[in-house]
């Protein structure tokens, strides 16, 4: 842990100390106006007074807990594996004292477009389960990806509906746009020895068939259509480049649990306590004898970084997901290394901590009451912002190596390596590159699934590959999707049988779904 300096017992202490410091500074300025200075003025109205117009506070810190209360620390130096949080606010001079607002009476939750709020997940889970219980060929109900096989899979689909009802905690949901919802039932080990396979269901409320069943464990089919995975990548791409607005919903207590963040309600309570305490102090301040000097508290914003803890992964979650010895054997067969070396310092690193999600919390006033806005700025399983930009820069020197891997074993009509090199060395305009994080089963090694836009044969096409990131080192490039392959025709084969794409293609998506599921179930601010 980095060296820490204790500054306060809670957030309320930070607001209180800052407010009292500004008030003391103003009083000190007033006291310096001695009688001699005032007598030297040409006339009473010519006297000069000094005031603090604005004081801005920007505090970076880490959080820890004891048995009685939250303790706040300032970080003295940046640690490699520590998470950074921030608290910012301003005290500004105003002509009249502010009014003390009432407790938080409302709020808003702002999430990335492709995420479904925890409050809405129950609705879509019920919709899926009830739809799958209907008989095959029922108008407006469900269909298998191949409509001619609906009747053959009817009993299996009905059993799957029962399993979904009993295993709701393993469901994750994505908003794809145009009323479409992708539901994934995350599986641990299933069928085919070490193979991993998930349930994939696409809900289209206004379609002829409300639910399209793409795959589920035990369906006996080895290939999974790429179509729902492609639609997911497109939804994330629209959010990254700003075409899809963030989703807004009313804030409810405990809503942050669905964002993968524990103890958030306690944090908000501390934030509100400090905020209202400082405003109470400012509201009760009386005018000074020579000049009114009032301050208001504005721009209150906290940023929290949080992530699934590596210790939880190594102890609780692997057992919870059923990732035991067989999953470890699959990693070893796949060539996974248990340890990594970061070229920055040459020290071995056992996987390390995952990247963090980032959440902003804003406190303000509305209609005389405190109002809370919680915005999920970034999620750890999708690269965005500065992290995405850094990865693109890291990939530039590797463009030739990635291109050769993608063009390997291409057919006569396949895209040559030169085409991939051109696309990789000239990133597309806007934020078009979609990068999903996933984590290996045995350790917290970070694999990235990169879906890159391109063009082939006069049509827009994506190509995809995976790459291992260990600190600043990129390695283990593996092909997932070639540029010339029509997206809706591509299938991936998680069971390793005769597939257009190597079985690792779906494993990359599976590990992304695992990362998402863990994030939904639990996070830890540290």
């Amino acid at each position: 842990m980095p060296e820490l300096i204790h500054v306060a017992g809670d957030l309320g202490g930070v607001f209180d100390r800052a407010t009292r410091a500004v008030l003391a500074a103003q009083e000190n300025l007033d006291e310096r106006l001695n009688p001699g200075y005032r007598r030297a003025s040409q006339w009473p109205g010519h006297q000069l007074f000094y005031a603090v117009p604005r004081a801005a506070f920007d505090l970076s810190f880490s959080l820890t807990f004891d048995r009685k209360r939250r303790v706040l620390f300032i970080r003295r130096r940046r640690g490699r594996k520590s998470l950074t949080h921030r608290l910012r606010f301003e005290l500004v001079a105003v002509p009249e004292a502010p009014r003390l607002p009432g407790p938080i009476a409302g709020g808003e939750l702002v999430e990335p477009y492709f995420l479904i709020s925890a409050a809405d997940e129950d609705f879509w889970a019920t919709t899926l389960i009830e739809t799958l219980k209907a008989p095959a060929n029922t108008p407006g109900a469900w269909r298998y990806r191949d409509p001619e096989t609906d009747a053959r899979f009817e009993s299996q689909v009905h059993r799957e509906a029962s399993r979904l009802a009993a295993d709701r905690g393993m469901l994750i949901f994505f908003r794809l746009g145009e009323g479409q919802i992708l539901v994934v039932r995350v599986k641990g080990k299933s069928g085919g020895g070490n193979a991993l396979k998930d349930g994939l269901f696409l809900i289209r409320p206004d379609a002829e068939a409300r639910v399209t069943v793409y795959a589920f464990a035990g369906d006996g089919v080895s290939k999974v259509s790429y179509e729902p995975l492609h639609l997911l990548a497109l939804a994330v791409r629209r959010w990254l480049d700003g075409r899809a607005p963030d989703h807004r919903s009313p804030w409810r207590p405990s809503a942050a649990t669905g964002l993968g963040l524990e103890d958030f309600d306690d944090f908000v309570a501390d934030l509100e306590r400090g905020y209202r305490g400082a405003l109470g102090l400012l509201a009760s301040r009386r005018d000074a004898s020579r000049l009114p000097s009032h301050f208001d508290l504005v721009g209150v914003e906290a940023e929290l970084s949080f992530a699934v803890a590596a210790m939880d992964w190594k102890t609780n979650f692997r057992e919870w997901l059923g990732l035991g010895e067989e999953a470890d054997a699959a990693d070893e067969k796949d060539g996974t290394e248990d340890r990594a070396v970061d070229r920055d310092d040459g020290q071995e690193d056992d996987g390390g901590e995952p990247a963090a999600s980032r959440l902003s919390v804003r406190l303000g006033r509305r209609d005389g009451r405190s109002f809370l806005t919680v915005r999920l700025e970034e999620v750890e399983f999708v690269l965005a912002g500065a992290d995405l930009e850094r990865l693109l820069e890291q990939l530039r020197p590797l463009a030739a190596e990635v291109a050769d891997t993608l063009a390997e074993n291409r057919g006569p009509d396949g895209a040559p390596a030169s085409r991939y090199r051109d696309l990789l060395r000239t990133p597309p305009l806007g934020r078009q590159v979609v990068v999903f994080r996933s984590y290996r089963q045995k350790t917290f090694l970070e694999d990235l699934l990169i879906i890159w836009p391109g063009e082939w044969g006069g049509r827009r096409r994506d190509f995809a590959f995976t790459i291992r990131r260990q600190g600043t080192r990129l390695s283990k490039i593996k092909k997932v999707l070639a540029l010339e392959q029509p997206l809706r025709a591509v299938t991936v084969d998680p069971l390793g049988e005769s597939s257009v794409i190597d079985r690792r293609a779906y494993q990359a998506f599976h590990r992304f779904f695992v990362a998402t599921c863990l994030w939904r179930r639990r996070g830890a601010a540290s």
Side-chain angles (χ1 to χ4, degrees):
M1 177 177 285
E3 187 174 353
L4 305 172
I5 303 174
H6 178 261
V7 295
D10 53 19
L11 287 178
V14 176
F15 283 103
D16 183 75
R17 290 188 182 191
T19 301
R20 293 184 184 277
V22 171
L23 294 178
Q26 181 61 59
E27 291 171 356
N28 188 40
L29 289 173
D30 292 342
E31 291 174 358
R32 291 183 181 182
L33 300 179
N34 55 60
Y37 170 79
R38 292 196 296 273
R39 287 195 299 269
S41 301
Q42 295 180 7
W43 59 85
H46 191 256
Q47 294 173 1
L48 296 178
F49 293 92
Y50 296 89
V52 177
R54 178 183 299 266
F57 295 83
D58 191 338
L59 182 67
S60 295
F61 61 93
S62 294
L63 292 178
T64 187
F65 299 87
D66 60 19
R67 294 182 179 181
K68 296 181 180 180
R69 61 179 180 175
R70 181 187 302 269
V71 182
L72 177 65
F73 294 89
I74 294 179
R75 295 201 321 156
R76 192 171 187 175
R77 58 184 173 85
R78 188 172 183 83
R80 286 184 58 197
K81 296 182 180 179
S82 56
L83 298 178
T84 305
H85 317 292
R86 297 182 71 180
L87 175 63
R88 291 174 293 204
F89 57 89
E90 293 185 349
L91 287 159
V92 297
V94 292
E96 297 180 356
R99 293 183 178 181
L100 177 63
I104 294 176
E108 184 177 47
L109 174 63
V110 185
E111 298 177 276
Y113 170 80
F114 56 89
L115 289 184
I116 302 293
S117 67
D120 292 336
E121 286 183 353
D122 285 342
F123 170 79
W124 290 115
T126 301
T127 298
L128 172 63
I129 293 167
E130 294 303 317
T131 302
L132 294 180
K133 291 179 180 179
N137 302 319
T138 300
W142 62 271
R143 70 174 178 85
Y144 197 67
R145 56 176 180 156
D146 180 2
E148 296 181 0
T149 64
D150 284 354
R152 180 161 64 91
F153 283 100
E154 180 175 359
S155 60
Q156 290 97 319
V157 169
H158 290 172
R159 283 196 295 270
E160 182 68 9
S162 299
R163 286 191 289 264
L164 293 175
D167 206 11
R168 295 275 283 267
M170 301 302 290
L171 299 183
I172 53 176
F173 303 78
F174 299 96
R175 180 181 290 104
L176 304 184
E178 300 179 356
Q180 301 180 106
I181 305 295
L182 175 63
V183 185
V184 182
R185 182 191 183 215
V186 180
K187 289 289 293 180
K189 51 191 178 182
S190 67
N194 296 325
L196 301 169
K197 191 172 184 182
D198 305 308
L200 297 173
F201 310 90
L202 185 61
I203 302 177
R204 295 185 175 104
D206 298 328
E208 182 178 349
R210 180 178 300 177
V211 174
T212 300
V213 181
Y214 284 96
F216 57 91
D219 61 6
V221 177
S222 63
K223 296 182 180 180
V224 179
S225 171
Y226 186 79
E227 181 179 11
L229 309 177
H230 175 54
L231 293 176
L232 174 59
L234 291 180
V236 174
R237 182 173 292 160
R238 286 193 295 270
W239 172 72
L240 287 171
D241 65 17
R243 287 179 292 158
D246 288 328
H247 182 258
R248 298 174 181 270
S249 60
W251 169 259
R252 299 178 179 87
S254 301
T257 302
L259 304 179
L261 180 61
E262 290 186 327
D263 302 310
F264 184 73
D265 290 342
D266 291 339
F267 179 84
V268 170
D270 288 345
L271 193 69
E272 182 188 15
R273 188 180 304 113
Y275 173 68
R276 296 188 68 243
L279 280 174
L281 180 62
L282 296 172
S284 63
R285 181 173 172 79
R286 298 292 180 263
D287 290 348
S289 58
R290 290 179 293 276
L291 182 72
S293 54
H294 297 293
F295 295 90
D296 196 2
L297 180 61
V298 299
V300 177
E301 179 177 4
E303 288 186 2
L304 295 178
S305 298
F306 59 99
V308 175
M311 184 58 66
D312 287 329
W313 170 263
K314 295 175 181 177
T315 57
N316 301 326
F317 289 132
R318 295 180 68 252
E319 180 179 356
W320 168 58
L321 284 168
L323 300 176
E325 295 179 358
E326 292 187 4
D328 292 344
D331 274 351
E332 292 170 2
K333 183 178 180 181
D334 194 31
T336 300
E337 298 176 0
D338 291 344
R339 304 193 68 83
V341 177
D342 188 329
R343 68 184 180 191
D344 279 351
D345 54 18
Q347 300 298 314
E348 290 187 346
D349 180 26
D350 189 14
E353 294 285 348
S357 301
R358 188 166 59 88
L359 188 77
S360 67
V361 184
R362 295 180 177 89
L363 261 179
R365 279 156 277 179
R366 182 178 295 184
D367 299 327
R369 304 296 295 268
S370 302
F371 190 84
L372 180 72
T373 301
V374 178
R375 179 184 292 271
L376 184 59
E377 305 283 357
E378 296 179 10
V379 289
E380 63 199 68
F381 52 82
V382 175
L383 263 67
D387 198 10
L388 178 58
E389 296 300 325
R390 282 193 297 270
L391 176 67
L392 296 180
E393 287 298 320
Q394 288 177 302
L395 280 172
R396 287 178 187 269
L398 298 177
E401 185 177 350
V402 174
D404 291 341
T405 301
L406 291 166
E408 188 177 0
N409 299 324
R410 67 185 179 94
D413 298 326
S418 58
R419 180 59 178 153
Y420 291 112
R421 283 196 298 271
D422 292 341
L423 291 169
L424 290 164
R425 288 171 175 168
T426 308
L429 296 176
R431 299 174 180 178
Q432 295 286 306
V433 179
V434 176
V435 182
F436 293 136
R437 275 194 186 90
S438 57
Y439 300 111
R440 308 291 293 201
Q441 284 87 5
K442 194 169 185 179
T443 62
F444 234 148
L445 294 175
E446 183 183 34
D447 284 354
L448 303 176
L449 171 59
I450 302 173
I451 304 173
W452 200 289
E455 183 178 325
W456 185 252
R459 300 182 62 182
R460 293 188 62 180
R461 299 283 178 82
D462 285 354
F463 62 93
F465 57 97
T466 60
I467 198 165
R468 173 75 49 77
R469 182 164 71 170
Q470 300 165 238
T472 59
R473 178 171 173 256
L474 299 178
S475 62
K476 292 189 175 294
I477 304 164
K478 297 177 182 178
K479 176 181 174 180
V480 172
L481 178 68
L483 190 60
E484 66 273 9
Q485 293 174 280
L487 292 178
R488 291 182 180 270
V490 168
T491 59
V492 292
D493 182 6
L495 298 186
E497 300 172 1
S498 54
S499 172
V500 177
I501 299 179
D502 187 274
R503 73 183 183 90
R504 296 187 183 94
Y506 187 74
Q507 285 182 339
F509 279 96
H510 168 77
R511 290 168 183 144
F512 159 66
F513 292 141
V514 168
T516 307
C517 190
L518 298 185
W519 180 83
R520 271 299 193 194
R521 289 288 296 259
R522 183 182 178 188
S526 59

